[in-house]
Amino acid sequence: AQSVTQPDIHITVSEGASLELRCNYSYGATPYLFWYVQSPGQGLQLLLKYFSGDTLVQGIKGFEAEFKRSQSSFNLRKPSVHWSDAAEYFCAVVPPMDTGRRALTFGSGTRLQVQP
Amino acid sequence: NAGVMQNPRHLVRRRGQEARLRCSPMKGHSHVYWYRQLPEEGLKFMVYLQKENIIDESGMPKERFSAEFPKEGPSILRIQQVVRGDSAAYFCASSEGHPNQPQHFGDGTRLSIL
């Protein structure tokens, strides 16, 4: 069965430090990959997406993610974290188009705290 | 250019009542998805609809839950005879349909059951 794993439930970093949030997926073929961010009481905002091509994708708010097929990973990174980045981050996948499925499967999320 | 609009933002119901959650997709989007976020659990897919059609309801509970997306008007998620376990945040997303077109989310409806 398709699954998405975010091994880190909670991460705390200092403001200005670099950040990497891990995401691994389990699926026969490469799915479509997404990262979303959710602030408390809010909906989910799309940070970036990967479908094909260049394995390093740039997103909004200074985030980037790298797709590594050999590791079935799609880790999210930011070189310098801002206090406003404190939120919950979700990795999500959609199966390849030929499956007919469109539903997002989400990881369990990583809650990011930023220390001053 | 309005995003996905959900209402109400907060809904309180007593056990046994009905809850109706509404979702208006982004302009130009004809595909709607409903997800549920239970406390201490992740986001789980419930149902995927196009206008007047349910495409995938594999995540919907078999009883008490239904969804529609009529030709005119918003998509409705309906929960009949609510129970305490239905308390959750319900999110609607919309897209243009192709899987490489991302889903855009509304701010959700927080349902509380007394």
Side-chain angles (χ1 to χ4, degrees):
Chain A
Q2 177 185 355
S3 67
V4 181
T5 302
Q6 293 181 247
D8 304 305
I9 297 172
H10 190 199
I11 282 183
T12 300
V13 299
S14 298
E15 191 168 15
S18 63
L19 172 70
E20 182 168 26
L21 303 181
R22 295 183 290 166
C23 173
N24 292 92
Y25 65 90
S26 173
Y27 201 80
T30 300
Y32 299 102
L33 297 154
F34 306 85
W35 275 98
Y36 287 87
V37 60
Q38 183 182 30
S39 297
Q42 301 297 312
L44 284 79
Q45 182 181 22
L46 178 70
L47 287 176
L48 45 75
K49 60 191 179 187
Y50 174 78
F51 303 130
S52 64
D54 193 348
T55 56
L56 185 64
V57 293
Q58 302 298 319
I60 62 170
K61 303 185 179 188
F63 284 93
E64 66 179 25
E66 185 172 13
F67 169 64
K68 292 186 178 180
R69 185 187 306 274
S70 61
Q71 299 176 18
S72 297
S73 69
F74 188 55
N75 294 348
L76 182 71
R77 300 196 295 244
K78 186 168 185 178
S80 177
V81 169
H82 188 263
W83 64 266
S84 60
D85 293 324
E88 188 146 23
Y89 292 79
F90 292 94
C91 181
V93 305
V94 169
M97 189 173 72
D98 57 5
T99 66
R101 296 287 316 279
R102 298 288 181 271
L104 283 162
T105 297
F106 286 89
S108 54
T110 297
R111 187 171 300 277
L112 174 66
Q113 273 192 316
V114 180
Q115 288 181 332
Chain B
N1 187 16
V4 178
M5 303 300 293
Q6 289 189 250
N7 67 83
R9 288 294 307 276
H10 300 274
L11 181 61
V12 179
R13 285 288 178 266
R14 297 188 181 278
R15 281 177 294 173
Q17 290 185 320
E18 178 180 286
R20 282 185 175 236
L21 289 62
R22 293 175 182 76
C23 170
S24 296
M26 281 181 70
K27 188 176 181 180
H29 287 186
S30 59
H31 297 249
V32 165
Y33 313 80
W34 286 93
Y35 295 84
R36 179 166 63 174
Q37 188 173 35
L38 289 162
E40 306 306 321
E41 293 189 24
L43 286 138
K44 304 293 185 189
F45 166 75
M46 299 181 76
V47 63
Y48 163 38
L49 310 102
Q50 289 179 258
K51 286 284 187 181
E52 299 184 282
N53 283 306
I54 296 175
I55 308 300
D56 179 356
E57 55 182 348
S58 58
M60 284 281 267
K62 293 291 184 277
E63 297 177 348
R64 302 188 297 108
F65 285 72
S66 62
E68 62 176 8
F69 189 16
K71 187 176 181 181
E72 302 290 337
S75 174
I76 306 287
L77 180 68
R78 182 181 177 206
I79 312 172
Q80 294 178 291
Q81 299 173 344
V82 296
V83 301
R84 288 256 170 87
D86 297 332
S87 295
Y90 291 82
F91 291 96
C92 171
S94 72
S95 78
E96 296 177 30
H98 193 281
N100 68 8
Q101 296 298 323
Q103 295 175 28
H104 296 269
F105 283 78
D107 284 338
T109 294
R110 273 77 181 165
L111 176 64
S112 298
I113 309 302
L114 301 179

